[in-house]
């Protein structure tokens, strides 16, 4: 198959970008894959992209670039397609409307995948009908504004499928949007083998990783670690990430006089080598659409103490097996869970082994296999029944479909060739109707052009 993935900005940092790169690289083992970034703000991507995956952009934000689009008059006009209820609406404009529409109109692919609601709306409204249209949800339906949900309810029925990262979110989509004829399936984010040795689980560090944003509730984690330190002053907390709450958290650490045991580490990429230096991951969020850091920690053998918040942690962590789940916004429970693993070496190591096994389930090859099966089924359904494919194949150089096109690209290949065949046959019919033997599209001798 030829698969095109549309993303907000492939050159930035974030979970959606990481998992898109992972999935694209795994799909490129068997298919032709490209990532189309609406925006480009730097020369090279932060993350490493599989060289088999194509990467291009639609709008150039690099001020020193010869192709910079910031001066285009359309850039200052509001978007009329990207939904105003979407969080990124202010970044989209009439120029993005124009460029995305032109890209989708000229799309030469079997499948197009969108990676955020606003882009999924573009795809639903503007992608050619012969292309399979898939919307990925990397957040959750419940986090979207009411105006955006109303837009999705109106537009998403034009799609072929919607994928969510959790079963709980898939159930919400089925219940609230009621999308007749649209497949709603769960496709978890993927995390590759980090290529580093698993943690020995003996280092006296707890690690936390993520944006310094209110939803992560790192204030709860820092307060919980005050209680941890009172009992185990030999352990420390390393907090990786940047964001708007950075200064506020630093003041909290200073106010609690715990700066010698809680360290703000900034960002690190890749993060797994830093995780492997710790002995457990702590997650204090009030909401996680999936929980990429949980799987990343498991891939280096770290057990996880996490709040049982909506939606991801409870679907990833088996409580008491590869981690512990505690109530959200409960500082005492979070501290108790961390202390339980700190104080019980045997339990920590047993959970670490189970976490390493659990993390392997999210390998890109396995997630891509599930994605591939979904896309192939959608492409086959779009082309039609197998009998129609065989009929089309009989015209292709005398070869049957099975002989002419082996493997995974049978549906797309047969469809494209059948379309060209129908056009050729129609031209012949038109020529005969115009007087026989004349070129299609021109009147036969002695006849007026109709």
């Amino acid at each position: 198959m030829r698969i095109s993935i549309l993303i907000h900005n492939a050159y930035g940092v974030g979970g959606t970008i990481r998992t898109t790169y992972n999935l694209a690289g795994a799909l490129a083992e068997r298919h032709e894959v490209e990532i189309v970034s609406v925006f480009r703000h730097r020369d090279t991507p932060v993350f490493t992209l599989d060289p088999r995956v194509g990467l291009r952009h639609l709008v150039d934000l690099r001020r020193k670039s010869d192709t910079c689009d910031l001066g285009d008059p359309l850039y200052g006009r509001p978007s009329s397609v990207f939904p105003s209820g979407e969080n990124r609406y202010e970044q989209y404009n009439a120029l993005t409307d124009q460029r995305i529409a032109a890209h989708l109109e000229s799309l030469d692919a079997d499948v197009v995948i969108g990676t955020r609601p606003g882009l999924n709306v573009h795809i639903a409204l503007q992608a050619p009908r012969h292309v399979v249209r898939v919307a990925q949800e990397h957040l959750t339906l419940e986090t979207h504004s009411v105006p955006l949900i109303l837009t999705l309810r109106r537009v998403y029925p034009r799609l072929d499928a919607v994928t969510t990262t959790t079963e709980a979110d898939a159930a919400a989509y089925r219940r609230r949007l009621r999308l007749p004829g649209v497949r709603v399936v769960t496709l978890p984010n993927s995390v590759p083998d980090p290529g580093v040795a698993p943690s020995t689980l003996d280092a006296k560090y707890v690690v936390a990783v993520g944006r310094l944003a209110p939803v992560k509730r790192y204030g709860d984690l820092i307060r919980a670690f005050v209680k941890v330190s009172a009992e185990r002053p030999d352990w420390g907390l390393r907090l990786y990430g940047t964001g708007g709450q950075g200064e506020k958290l630093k003041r909290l650490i200073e106010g609690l006089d715990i700066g010698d045991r809680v360290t703000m580490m900034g960002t690190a990429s890749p993060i797994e080598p830093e995780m492997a230096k710790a002995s457990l991951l702590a997650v204090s969020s009030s909401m996680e659409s999936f929980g990429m850091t949980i799987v990343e920690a498991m891939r280096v053998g770290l057990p996880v103490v996490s709040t049982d918040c909506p939606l991801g942690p409870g679907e990833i962590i088996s409580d008491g097996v590869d981690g512990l789940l505690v109530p959200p916004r409960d500082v005492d429970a979070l501290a108790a869970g961390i202390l339980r693993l700190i104080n019980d070496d045997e339990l920590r190591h047993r959970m670490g082994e189970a976490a390493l096994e659990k993390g392997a389930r999210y390998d890109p090859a396995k997630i891509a296999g599930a994605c591939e099966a979904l896309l192939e089924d959608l492409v086959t359904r779009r082309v039609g029944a197998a009998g129609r494919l065989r009929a089309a194949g009989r015209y292709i150089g005398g070869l049957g479909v099975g002989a002419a096109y082996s493997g995974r690209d049978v549906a797309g290949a047969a469809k494209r060739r059948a379309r060209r065949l129908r056009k050729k046959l129609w031209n012949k019919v038109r020529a005969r109707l115009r007087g026989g033997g004349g070129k299609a599209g021109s009147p036969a001798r002695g006849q007026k052009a109709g």
Side-chain angles (χ1 to χ4, degrees):
M1 293 178 289
R2 290 173 298 170
I3 302 167
S4 182
I5 304 174
L6 185 62
I7 192 169
H8 172 71
N9 189 341
Y11 295 82
V13 178
T16 298
I17 303 169
R18 289 207 310 276
T19 193
T20 298
Y21 274 36
N22 294 341
L23 179 63
L27 288 172
E29 289 279 351
R30 301 169 60 89
H31 306 284
E32 183 181 331
V33 185
E34 70 165 358
I35 295 175
V36 178
S37 178
V38 176
F39 298 107
R40 180 178 186 176
H41 72 292
R42 53 182 292 152
D43 293 338
T44 58
V46 175
F47 301 125
T48 302
L49 182 63
D50 189 306
R52 297 170 298 184
V53 178
L55 176 62
R56 55 193 177 96
H57 64 278
L58 302 180
V59 177
D60 194 341
L61 303 182
R62 296 172 294 169
R63 294 186 181 277
K64 295 182 179 181
S65 170
D66 293 337
T67 58
C68 179
D69 290 306
L70 292 174
D72 192 300
L74 293 178
Y75 189 82
R77 300 178 189 174
S79 169
S80 60
V81 181
F82 198 90
S84 59
E86 228 263 37
N87 290 337
R88 298 278 187 178
Y89 175 72
E90 296 300 327
Q91 295 176 254
Y92 285 77
N93 47 64
L95 181 62
T96 60
D97 283 356
Q98 182 187 79
R99 297 281 173 86
I100 294 172
H103 158 63
L104 293 173
E105 183 180 353
S106 63
L107 196 62
D108 184 23
D110 301 299
V111 179
V112 60
I113 300 173
T115 53
R116 65 176 307 112
L119 299 181
N120 298 336
V121 167
H122 270 281
I123 288 171
L125 295 175
Q126 297 171 330
R129 295 198 62 81
H130 68 271
V131 177
V132 168
R133 293 161 287 182
V134 178
Q136 287 185 351
E137 176 60 84
H138 288 278
L139 296 173
T140 69
L141 183 62
E142 300 297 332
T143 60
H144 298 328
S145 67
V146 172
L148 178 58
I149 291 175
L150 293 176
T151 299
L152 303 187
R153 184 179 292 171
R154 174 174 56 84
V155 173
Y156 270 22
R158 301 175 182 230
L159 297 169
D160 295 283
V162 175
T163 70
T164 65
T165 58
T166 63
E167 291 288 352
D169 201 33
Y173 265 91
R174 298 186 192 105
R175 182 180 66 255
R176 295 191 62 185
L177 295 196
R178 296 191 180 97
L179 302 171
V182 179
R183 297 273 293 277
V184 181
V185 299
T186 302
L187 191 69
N189 291 335
S190 63
V191 176
D193 185 337
V196 299
S199 169
T200 63
L201 302 182
D202 295 321
K204 295 183 177 182
Y205 285 107
V206 176
V207 67
V209 179
R211 292 177 296 110
L212 305 184
V215 71
K216 301 297 184 181
R217 297 198 67 83
Y218 287 129
D220 288 355
L221 177 57
I222 292 168
R223 293 183 182 93
F225 211 77
V226 172
K227 299 177 180 293
V228 171
S229 295
E231 183 175 331
R232 294 299 301 265
D234 52 331
W235 278 69
L237 170 65
R238 291 176 174 174
L239 178 54
Y240 288 89
T242 58
Q245 286 214 312
E247 292 302 319
K248 181 179 180 180
L249 294 175
K250 288 178 182 178
R251 290 194 298 270
L252 177 62
I253 293 169
E254 293 173 0
L256 294 172
D257 193 23
I258 197 174
D260 58 333
R261 276 156 284 177
V262 178
T263 307
M264 305 284 287
M265 304 295 292
T267 58
S269 182
I271 190 60
E272 290 90 344
E274 301 305 313
M275 286 181 163
K277 297 174 184 177
S279 292
L280 67 97
L281 175 78
V283 178
S284 52
S285 303
S286 58
M287 194 282 292
E288 286 284 351
S289 57
F290 176 66
M292 282 282 286
T293 59
I294 295 175
V295 179
E296 288 168 339
M298 287 180 165
R299 298 234 63 175
V300 295
L302 291 190
V304 183
V305 178
S306 172
T307 53
D308 190 13
C309 63
L311 294 167
E315 293 192 15
I316 301 173
I317 299 168
S318 298
D319 188 32
V321 178
D322 44 42
L324 299 174
L325 294 170
V326 301
R329 302 191 178 190
D330 190 330
V331 172
D332 290 338
L334 184 59
I338 293 172
L339 280 170
R340 182 181 173 189
L341 290 187
I342 286 177
N343 291 329
D344 192 333
D345 292 346
E346 182 182 350
L347 177 64
R348 188 170 70 251
H349 282 79
R350 185 168 69 249
M351 285 190 174
E353 291 178 3
L356 194 62
E357 183 178 347
K358 173 68 73 62
R361 298 182 188 179
Y362 296 89
D363 189 83
K366 294 183 179 180
I367 303 302
C371 180
E372 182 181 55
L374 170 67
L375 299 183
E376 287 175 346
D377 182 60
L378 293 172
V379 168
T380 300
R381 289 173 182 269
R382 178 58 57 86
V383 174
R388 288 173 57 195
L389 290 177
R390 287 194 296 271
R394 283 196 293 268
Y395 292 100
I396 306 172
L399 295 175
V401 169
Y405 306 105
S406 61
R408 306 284 180 162
D409 59 351
V410 57
K415 178 183 177 181
R416 292 189 294 275
R417 284 157 179 76
R419 191 162 58 241
R420 288 198 293 268
L421 173 66
R422 287 195 299 270
K423 182 176 180 181
K424 182 177 180 181
L425 292 176
W426 176 236
N427 284 340
K428 289 183 178 180
V429 170
R430 289 171 63 194
R432 291 194 176 188
L433 290 175
R434 291 178 185 278
K439 288 185 179 181
S442 60
R445 185 174 299 173
Q447 294 181 350
K448 292 183 179 180

